[in-house]
Amino acid sequence: MSQDQPRFDTILNALIEEFSGDGCEILTAEGELYARIVVEEPDRSTVMMDLNLNTLARQIDRRMQ
């Protein structure tokens, strides 16, 4: 973790890297970041969920305190 970067930001950046690395689209809505989880099928794509990465990062940060 960088000394000049808050732990929350480090966690959020790691989540963005992980989800985008897995092929999830990263979206922004109302100032929050979301990872869009999509199931690809031969004839269509189905959005399963939009996971709020800010909320997940806050939860992880809170558990690490």
Side-chain angles (χ1 to χ4, degrees):
M1 178 169 45
S2 172
Q3 295 290 358
D4 58 344
Q5 185 178 35
R7 184 173 56 201
F8 170 81
D9 291 336
T10 302
I11 295 166
L12 183 59
N13 289 333
L15 290 171
I16 292 166
E17 286 180 32
E18 287 297 316
F19 279 96
S20 62
D22 284 342
C24 294
E25 181 180 0
I26 305 300
L27 310 167
T28 304
E30 298 180 10
E32 301 277 299
L33 293 171
Y34 293 84
R36 176 161 284 170
I37 300 172
V38 178
V39 173
E40 300 289 340
E41 298 178 32
D43 59 336
R44 67 176 181 257
S45 298
T46 304
V47 175
M48 298 304 289
M49 70 182 306
D50 289 335
L51 179 64
N52 188 318
L53 298 180
N54 291 80
T55 297
L56 183 55
R58 281 191 292 273
Q59 291 170 337
I60 293 169
D61 186 45
R62 188 169 50 245
R63 293 287 299 182
M64 292 178 74
Q65 292 180 4

